[in-house]
Amino acid sequence: MAAAAVTAASTLLLGALAAPTAHSAPTVFAHPGVTVSRAQLDFARSKVQAGAQPWKAAFDQMLASKYADLNRAPKPRAVVECGSYSNPNHGCTDEREDAIAAYTDALAWYITRDARYAKKSIQLMDAWSGVIQDHTNSNAPLQTAWAGSTWPRAAEIIKYTYDGGWAGAGRFATMLRDVYLPEVINGSHSNGNWELSMTEAAIGISVFLEDRTSYDRAMARFRTRTAAYVYLASDGDLPKTVPGQHLDTRDKIVKYWQGQSTFVTGLTQETCRDFTHTGYGISAISHVAETSRIQGQDLYGTDVGERLRQALGFQSKYQVGTAAPSWLCGGTLHLGLGPVTEVGYNALHNRLGIAMTNTGILTERQRPAGSNNLFVAWETLTHGGNPA
């Protein structure tokens, strides 16, 4: 086939793959199926048992963390109140960290088969499901998203792999359905990392609840927001926008993109804010793509995968030391991408064979990737070099 014909065929294929489908939810949900699958867990377990690196170091790091403490006392409260930048912070840190601890213990259970960890994970989940009623104040949607992204990861592992039983699973499902899902399912017109994290939570919750309607609704919103968060040259002169935000002029778009007026492939809506918040958005994109793949719809071959690849590469380039040019954020970048590269790098580079030099350098440099104490945890252990 002539080169031009190959290019045309590839373009048609990418275009077909990139179009969001009306129905994304699987006919039968895979469990455990939120961010990490049983096959991935089995791979990580085998590597830890063999003492292989970097998995053994990642596991040791996790087990030595405060989140794996079997004496941890949960701190649930009926109303979690979170203002901007966690001021006030009434239960915000406690909720997020108890959720991470529940997930940590679930991973520790699976790898060690020590039932104490499963029971501790259940204790944490039961404590919150028996108490929490609401999230309030300005950061309520984001707080709900962060905790709501982590809880289902823990619950999926425990419900579907622990043979000791979980009497409170139904009450936990009710908590996710009644307290968390309504807060995140409608998305947000704030900075893009908010809505990306909210859709991650909604999709993970939908998997645990086996709620196809909410899954499809959240996935459609995710596809739209991802396209509006990471710029590709193929988008045109200006980034894509989210309907309802009324970003209908160039000036409005530039302002929303933190004053950045030069748009290049891989730039995100928050690059010129700081890399930390950008990392939240990139992480959520990778988590949703991974969950979707486990559930039978591979988004890595769509524009989602391309945007994730380019966002990782663009940010990693500067995070590993390249100086910012004057046209980018006025020549000043606020670094701090966080432990967010493993999932995307594994999917795109290790599984699909795509060259990602800068992302690879950063990923290796940050190993073993720990937790950002919000909603990211132990991804070298679960996804580093994981072929499953």
Side-chain angles (χ1 to χ4, degrees):
M1 185 182 291
V6 171
T7 301
S10 299
T11 301
L12 285 171
L13 176 60
L14 181 59
L17 289 170
T21 55
H23 300 285
S24 301
T27 303
V28 178
F29 283 96
H31 302 290
V34 177
T35 310
V36 61
S37 68
R38 185 185 294 269
Q40 289 172 315
L41 290 168
D42 285 340
F43 174 84
R45 183 171 188 254
S46 70
K47 290 298 186 181
V48 172
Q49 288 182 322
Q53 301 297 354
W55 304 276
K56 182 61 165 60
F59 175 74
D60 290 344
Q61 174 197 43
M62 181 186 80
L63 218 58
S65 75
K66 63 182 179 181
Y67 297 114
D69 183 0
L70 289 170
N71 294 313
R72 183 183 186 87
K75 298 179 181 178
R77 58 172 68 208
V79 178
V80 174
E81 182 183 4
C82 306
S84 296
Y85 297 97
S86 294
N87 183 23
N89 181 341
H90 296 153
C92 315
T93 301
D94 292 337
E95 180 188 30
R96 294 193 307 266
E97 295 194 350
D98 276 351
I100 292 173
Y103 177 54
T104 300
D105 289 325
L107 289 173
W109 142 253
Y110 196 90
I111 289 171
T112 66
R113 293 301 197 270
D114 184 337
R116 293 179 302 164
Y117 289 108
K119 291 175 181 177
K120 175 56 70 171
S121 182
I122 289 170
Q123 180 196 16
L124 291 162
M125 291 189 285
D126 284 352
W128 280 90
S129 70
V131 173
I132 190 167
Q133 299 173 11
D134 199 10
H135 297 86
T136 64
N137 214 316
S138 59
N139 262 27
L142 187 59
Q143 172 71 20
T144 309
W146 284 340
S149 293
T150 309
W151 287 127
R153 292 183 216 142
E156 282 280 300
I157 295 172
I158 294 299
K159 182 176 180 179
Y160 292 99
T161 74
Y162 176 54
D163 54 9
W166 178 17
R171 189 178 73 185
F172 188 82
T174 298
M175 176 193 79
L176 292 180
R177 182 183 297 108
D178 294 349
V179 178
Y180 288 82
L181 190 58
E183 188 72 48
V184 297
I185 193 64
N186 293 318
S188 167
H189 285 164
S190 184
N191 282 303
N193 82 86
W194 278 50
E195 187 159 85
L196 289 167
S197 291
M198 291 166 76
T199 55
E200 178 190 344
I203 288 164
I205 289 169
S206 296
V207 170
F208 187 72
L209 298 179
E210 298 197 332
D211 182 340
R212 292 173 181 80
T213 300
S214 293
Y215 187 99
D216 286 343
R217 184 176 173 187
M219 188 63 76
R221 189 178 295 277
F222 166 79
R223 297 291 298 271
T224 299
R225 174 57 76 171
T226 299
Y229 193 71
V230 182
Y231 177 80
L232 298 178
S234 57
D235 293 337
D237 292 338
L238 294 172
K240 292 180 179 293
T241 59
V242 173
Q245 284 192 289
H246 307 296
L247 298 175
D248 49 10
T249 69
R250 179 181 178 84
D251 287 346
K252 288 181 181 179
I253 291 172
V254 168
K255 182 179 180 181
Y256 185 59
W257 282 62
Q258 321 296 326
Q260 177 69 14
S261 58
T262 300
F263 301 104
V264 298
T265 292
L267 182 80
T268 80
Q269 182 254 316
E270 295 185 275
T271 297
C272 293
R273 180 186 184 187
D274 58 62
F275 276 28
T276 300
H277 286 88
T278 297
Y280 300 163
I282 290 173
S283 183
I285 293 170
S286 69
H287 292 164
V288 172
E290 195 70 356
T291 296
S292 179
R293 184 187 70 88
I294 294 167
Q295 298 305 328
Q297 184 186 43
D298 196 338
L299 295 179
Y300 292 115
T302 74
D303 74 304
V304 170
E306 181 64 6
R307 292 179 196 278
L308 176 60
R309 177 175 80 90
Q310 296 291 354
L312 283 168
F314 186 85
Q315 267 63 221
S316 294
K317 174 183 176 180
Y318 297 105
Q319 185 68 43
V320 299
T322 298
S326 60
W327 58 263
L328 178 61
C329 311
T332 300
L333 296 173
H334 300 284
L335 303 177
L337 194 60
V340 302
T341 64
E342 288 279 15
V343 175
Y345 182 70
N346 183 59
L348 295 164
H349 175 72
N350 295 332
R351 281 203 299 260
L352 297 181
I354 300 170
M356 298 175 70
T357 302
N358 288 312
T359 306
I361 292 171
L362 181 59
T363 300
E364 292 282 352
R365 183 179 296 179
Q366 294 188 149
R367 282 180 174 169
S371 175
N372 70 353
N373 304 311
L374 299 173
F375 71 109
V376 177
W378 323 124
E379 292 179 353
T380 297
L381 174 63
T382 56
H383 290 83
N386 196 321

